[in-house]
Amino acid sequence: MSAERQAPAVPGTTGVGRAEGLPFHAPTLAGARAVARTAALVAATLGAVGLAGWILGSEVLKSVLPGEGATMKPNTAVGLLALGLSLFVVAGGPMSRRTAAAARAAAAVATLIGTLTAVEYFTGTGLGIDELLFEDENPPVETTTPGRMAPNTALGLMLGGAAALCGSGRRLPAWTGQIPALAVLTLGMLRIYGFAYDVPQLDRFGDYTGMALHTALALVLLGVAAFLVRPGEGPAGLLTNAGTTGALGRRMITATLVVPPLLGWIVLAGEDAGLYDIRLAIALLVCGHVTVFAVVGFAALTVGRRIEMAHARAEWQVRQNRLVQDFMDHTPAVVFIKDLDGRYLAVNTTFEESMGLSRERVLGHRDQELPAPETARQVCAADLEMLAGGRVVQREERLGMPDGPRDFLTTLFLLNDPSGEPYAVCGVATDVTERVAAQREVQRANRRFLALLESAPDATLITDGKGTVVMANAQVEPLFGRAPADLVGTSVHDLVPGPRRRHHAALLGAYLRQPDPRPTVLDRGLCGLRGDGSEFPAEVSVSTFQAEQDTLVFLTVRDITDRRRAEAERAERYEQHRRIAYTLQHSLMGEPPRLPYLPSAHRYLASVQDPGVGGDWFDIIPLDEARTGIVIGDVMGRGLEAAAVMGQLRAAAHALARTNMPPGRLMTGLDAFVSDLADQLVTCCYLLINQKAHEVTLCSAGHLPVIAMPPGGPAHRLPAPVNVPLGVNGPDGGVPYLQATRPLPPGSTLALYTDGLVERPGTDLDTQIDLLTHALGAAIEHSPADPDVLDRAAARLVGALIPDTAAHDDDVTLLLIGLPERDAGHAGRAAHAGPAAHRDTAHRDTAHRDTAHRDTAHRDTAHRDTAHRG
């Protein structure tokens, strides 16, 4: 806002004149109004005195001076009384509608009386109003119209009424009432000058009735009252403003009204006393005027100098105001300055943009005069609070703005003049809507977090990186026997039994030292301590959260006493079931015979997902001294159902093999058997070894290839026709099962196995079979077909293909068959009939049982681990 549009604030002022933009002292304006009301009241009193004289018939009240020919007429008294009361009311300030209407009616009565009398003078006719109230029994000799007021009195009432009407209407400029008021003042002064200087020509005009002296005094008072009705506006504002022009104007008006009449009276008094003649009197009068006006001139020069200095200060102040205004305009906050009456003195650009109002619309107005009354009420309340306390007030409030409600942080403080007196209120309002919204969102998030924390079913503790509890929910009390408030500030390790605290602290420290610790659950070896000193097994969920510079640890603690008890009971039941299933599995599979002329070794591993039973089986069937049948199969599926099917198939295969049935026909018979079973699928391979002919005939029903290791190596897959698994052809048969005969030199080793040994998720089956082939070659290379060698080789192959047998999830069967060298084979068959052979067989059976016991122990351990994990 430019300096030309806004006058600089002057210390000690309370408002700005609406007419000329001049500052005013509040006491000056109040004094002017008091003078106006007093003058109007005295004038009304003089009118009432004159009217009382007519009512009482008192000539003294009608005429102030005894023997004076002019008296105050009844109409004059009524007009003066009405006009005085009207101006008394108007000079009091803001009025209600009824009061204003009454004041205007009184002024209109005075105007009407004066106007009708003037019409009588101009037209020379009588309207019958002169003696309407009272009859004038003693009219002056000079007049021919008894009871009629003087023409200058009628003119004064007309002008006075017009001044009162214009002064009561705020829409009209102030000068429309003040100029007629000065004319009324002049008419009264002329009558007083005529009396003071004994000039009869000023008392009356020609043969008309003269003006009474107290009527003249009333007109002077009414002129003063009408002139000061609106003291802060128009010509009156030039005299009442607080600036140097006001002071100069008041002095010059005083000198003008007092000095010339006083000098004239003194000169005339000297002339009447014979002290000098007319020429000397005129010279003295001129000399007095020159002297007086010279003094007034020098006084005006002094005031002018002060005005120049004040103007320089004002220019400096304007520059300062411009700097302040520029600073305010470049401030992002809303800045405003008000006087003590609540009128805006200055606002910045942000204020205009926020309120949607221009400065011209705001400056000089109060909050109540602007739009948004609710906002105005809040702002006024804040101003009153600050003014009442006299201190800086800072408050956060929500105000209705044109673009919707906004949150502001407002600071209000007083501006004091050099003497320490407050003259204005300054406010700085910062829009904090986004910050308040963020704070509210944080508060809502905190409430949601606390509600979530309290709704957790388990005891939850939040600690800092050192293990100090900073928050806990209500569930900690029934678990630990301590209130959440009592835990805050204590170490979380105090909730652990003493001997275990070190271990728990080490676990938590190791977790926090990880580069990126992930949420984890710990339930092994952790215990909690109740308030009564008892311990309980605990499961703890641990996670971290980075809050600014601190790391918070979330610990969810659960009492797992019931779970541990249930796990122990479940593990016990599982062990019982496992022993039963193990016994069932071995009873179904049976123990294959140990043939001294055909060494063998085997491994069977049950799946950890089932109670030790499955569908894998194998059998060694001696047919005669030269031929031996070998069968291996795998029933798809697991559990007792697969084991039951396996037992039936093993018995059927054994019976069919005893009939010397060739492998192809045997598979056909088994296929018919499986087809009678609902939803069964079986892979099977049957070998017929002829040691005398050094050959093997085999038929595979979808089973994995047999691996053969000749004496000189290398190990390879034994070629055989590819046939469909058992149960695919159906009851009516279909695709015939083909068999093949391959040479099998003495000293060879055969490896038969099920898919559990070579199948792995994500690996190629052929690759795994190749791995098994190479491992067999490495295990049997340059070794005789001895049961011990085969047993070690079986253990080595299982270890190579299944590193973690405790976690394997499928049945595994491996059978190694060794064909002795030619001489060893004949010796073996010869010994088969004698006692030595029986002893050798018993020895090997004992070794085999020892190996089986070792495998059983290994699997028992695996099952127990599985049960514990369950």
Side-chain angles (χ1 to χ4, degrees):
M1 180 176 63
S2 63
E4 291 77 14
R5 289 191 294 171
Q6 177 180 342
V10 177
T13 64
T14 60
V16 176
R18 290 190 294 271
E20 287 80 15
L22 297 174
F24 296 92
H25 282 295
T28 303
L29 296 178
R33 291 192 180 95
V35 170
R37 289 172 63 86
T38 302
L41 185 61
V42 173
T45 303
L46 290 175
V49 169
L51 185 61
W54 285 97
I55 296 173
L56 301 176
S58 173
E59 297 297 328
V60 175
L61 298 179
K62 297 179 184 179
S63 176
V64 178
L65 298 178
E68 183 186 8
T71 60
M72 181 183 293
K73 304 304 179 182
N75 291 349
T76 302
V78 172
L80 294 177
L81 178 60
L83 191 57
L85 293 177
S86 175
L87 290 174
F88 178 80
V89 173
V90 173
M95 303 172 289
S96 64
R97 291 184 177 181
R98 293 185 178 181
T99 305
R104 293 190 184 99
V109 169
T111 305
L112 180 62
I113 293 173
T115 301
L116 293 177
T117 304
V119 170
E120 288 181 330
Y121 276 115
F122 279 107
T123 60
T125 60
L127 300 178
I129 64 170
D130 298 327
E131 294 181 307
L132 181 64
L133 299 177
F134 299 97
E135 183 179 353
D136 190 1
E137 298 178 353
N138 299 311
V141 178
E142 298 83 357
T143 182
T144 59
T145 54
R148 182 177 295 179
M149 69 180 70
N152 49 353
T153 303
L155 181 60
L157 289 179
M158 289 174 56
L159 296 175
L165 289 174
C166 294
S168 64
R170 296 294 175 178
R171 297 181 179 181
L172 296 175
W175 61 266
T176 58
Q178 293 171 351
I179 297 301
L182 292 178
V184 174
L185 176 65
T186 302
L187 291 174
M189 291 298 296
L190 284 175
R191 173 66 178 89
I192 293 174
Y193 287 161
F195 170 78
Y197 298 151
D198 195 17
V199 181
Q201 293 81 357
L202 297 179
D203 293 346
R204 64 173 55 85
F205 298 97
D207 296 336
Y208 299 114
T209 302
M211 181 187 295
L213 184 60
H214 54 320
T215 300
L217 179 60
L219 290 178
V220 170
L221 294 174
L222 291 175
V224 172
F227 185 77
L228 296 177
V229 163
R230 293 161 69 175
E233 306 175 48
L238 299 175
L239 299 178
T240 57
N241 74 83
T244 54
T245 57
L248 179 60
R250 289 191 292 273
R251 293 177 184 179
M252 293 184 66
I253 288 296
T254 302
T256 301
L257 295 178
V258 175
V259 173
L262 182 60
L263 288 177
W265 182 82
I266 292 174
V267 170
L268 288 177
E271 183 182 357
D272 292 341
L275 298 177
Y276 40 76
D277 57 10
I278 187 62
R279 290 183 176 273
L280 180 59
I282 294 175
L284 291 175
L285 181 61
V286 171
C287 181
H289 281 102
V290 170
T291 302
V292 170
F293 283 109
V295 173
V296 172
F298 277 106
L301 290 176
T302 303
V303 174
R305 178 56 181 167
R306 293 178 181 175
I307 292 175
E308 290 180 352
M309 297 176 63
H311 181 69
R313 288 194 299 269
E315 288 184 345
W316 180 85
Q317 187 65 43
V318 166
R319 290 193 296 270
Q320 296 300 313
N321 288 350
R322 185 178 293 112
L323 293 176
V324 172
Q325 187 64 50
D326 291 341
F327 172 77
M328 291 170 55
D329 287 340
H330 287 83
T331 301
V334 174
V335 182
F336 58 87
I337 300 176
K338 302 178 184 178
D339 63 16
L340 299 183
D341 288 336
R343 293 187 178 91
Y344 282 97
L345 302 178
V347 296
N348 68 342
T349 305
T350 309
F351 184 98
E352 294 181 281
E353 295 173 352
S354 300
M355 297 295 297
L357 299 173
S358 64
R359 289 177 184 166
E360 291 75 9
R361 176 69 178 85
V362 175
L363 297 182
H365 294 81
R366 296 183 176 91
D367 291 299
Q368 297 87 338
E369 300 170 354
L370 301 178
E374 182 62 26
T375 302
R377 185 187 63 78
Q378 292 179 258
V379 172
C380 291
D383 294 346
L384 293 176
E385 179 184 351
M386 190 274 303
L387 291 174
R391 300 184 301 272
V392 176
V393 173
Q394 188 174 65
R395 55 190 293 173
E396 187 176 297
E397 53 193 353
R398 190 170 182 84
L399 301 178
M401 307 301 290
D403 58 346
R406 308 287 292 178
D407 294 290
F408 287 91
L409 179 63
T410 304
T411 302
L412 298 174
F413 54 91
L414 290 172
L415 299 179
N416 299 325
D417 60 16
S419 63
E421 290 295 325
Y423 66 89
V425 176
C426 183
V428 179
T430 304
D431 191 341
V432 294
T433 304
E434 286 74 15
R435 190 187 72 185
V436 170
Q439 291 176 347
R440 289 172 182 163
E441 184 59 32
V442 169
Q443 293 172 357
R444 284 194 293 269
N446 288 338
R447 289 194 295 269
R448 288 195 297 267
F449 172 75
L450 292 177
L452 181 63
L453 184 65
E454 292 299 331
S455 64
D458 299 320
T460 303
L461 302 103
I462 302 177
T463 72
D464 57 15
K466 298 180 181 178
T468 302
V469 178
V470 298
M471 189 178 296
N473 66 353
Q475 281 68 31
V476 301
E477 186 166 2
L479 183 62
F480 293 103
R482 298 178 62 179
D486 296 339
L487 292 177
V488 175
T490 64
S491 175
V492 71
H493 305 304
D494 295 342
L495 302 176
V496 179
R500 298 176 180 266
R501 290 177 184 174
R502 208 165 163 189
H503 173 65
H504 284 61
L507 287 177
L508 182 59
Y511 174 78
L512 295 177
R513 284 193 296 271
Q514 296 179 13
D516 185 18
R518 297 176 179 246
T520 185
V521 179
L522 304 175
D523 62 352
R524 293 198 177 186
L526 300 182
C527 290
L529 182 65
R530 293 191 177 91
D532 58 2
S534 61
E535 302 179 9
F536 62 91
E539 175 188 88
V540 181
S541 300
V542 188
S543 60
T544 61
F545 175 77
Q546 194 69 28
E548 296 179 352
Q549 302 297 326
D550 299 329
T551 299
L552 298 180
V553 182
F554 288 78
L555 300 173
T556 302
V557 185
R558 178 179 299 173
D559 186 352
I560 58 173
T561 302
D562 295 338
R563 186 202 298 177
R564 287 286 186 249
R565 186 182 302 111
E567 287 176 354
E569 294 175 355
R570 186 168 58 250
E572 184 178 356
R573 289 195 302 270
Y574 182 85
E575 181 63 22
Q576 293 175 357
H577 294 165
R578 191 201 64 79
R579 287 195 296 267
I580 295 171
Y582 185 79
T583 303
L584 176 62
Q585 177 76 16
H586 280 270
S587 66
L588 292 175
M589 182 178 289
E591 186 70 26
R594 294 286 181 169
L595 304 178
Y597 56 86
L598 193 66
S600 65
H602 68 273
R603 287 291 186 272
Y604 174 76
L605 303 178
S607 169
V608 297
Q609 295 184 357
D610 299 292
V613 294
D616 290 3
W617 93 92
F618 69 92
D619 196 3
I620 301 175
I621 309 168
L623 301 177
D624 53 36
E625 63 179 11
R627 294 183 308 142
T628 305
I630 308 295
V631 64
I632 187 169
D634 185 3
V635 178
M636 298 303 165
R638 298 169 184 166
L640 294 176
E641 183 179 0
V645 175
M646 175 270 292
Q648 298 178 56
L649 286 175
R650 183 178 183 277
H654 192 92
L656 292 175
R658 284 292 187 181
T659 64
N660 293 318
M661 187 177 293
R665 289 182 59 191
L666 185 142
M667 285 299 173
T668 302
L670 290 179
D671 179 62
F673 179 81
V674 174
S675 298
D676 292 336
L677 302 176
D679 300 326
Q680 293 295 334
L681 188 67
V682 181
T683 65
C684 183
C685 183
Y686 178 61
L687 291 80
L688 183 58
I689 301 175
N690 191 334
Q691 292 177 265
K692 186 176 180 180
H694 307 298
E695 61 183 14
V696 59
T697 302
L698 69 162
C699 180
S700 175
H703 202 76
L704 297 173
V706 178
I707 299 175
M709 175 68 180
H716 62 278
R717 303 182 189 185
L718 195 62
V722 178
N723 298 302
V724 297
L726 303 178
V728 174
N729 283 326
D732 298 333
V735 180
Y737 287 91
L738 302 179
Q739 64 183 31
T741 301
R742 303 289 182 233
L744 189 65
S748 298
T749 302
L750 299 176
L752 294 84
Y753 52 94
T754 58
D755 57 358
L757 182 65
V758 293
E759 282 188 351
R760 297 289 180 276
T763 60
D764 183 65
L765 181 60
D766 289 335
T767 302
Q768 291 294 105
I769 295 175
D770 292 339
L771 178 62
L772 175 61
T773 302
H774 295 310
L776 178 63
I780 303 298
E781 186 178 10
H782 307 302
S783 298
D786 181 81
D788 295 333
V789 174
L790 295 177
D791 191 72
R792 288 193 298 269
R796 183 174 176 181
L797 292 178
V798 171
L801 272 297
I802 307 176
D804 186 8
T805 58
H808 196 58
D809 61 351
D810 197 4
D811 297 345
V812 176
T813 299
L814 173 63
L815 176 62
L816 298 181
I817 303 295
L819 275 70
E821 298 292 340
R822 188 180 303 273
D823 296 338
H826 287 296
R829 283 189 295 270
H832 180 61
H838 286 290
R839 286 194 300 272
D840 187 44
T841 300
H843 174 75
R844 286 185 174 88
D845 288 345
T846 302
H848 173 74
R849 282 194 297 273
D850 292 341
T851 302
H853 283 303
R854 286 196 300 271
D855 290 344
T856 301
H858 177 76
R859 297 303 293 174
D860 288 348
T861 302
H863 282 298
R864 283 194 297 273
D865 293 342
T866 303
H868 180 75
R869 285 194 298 270

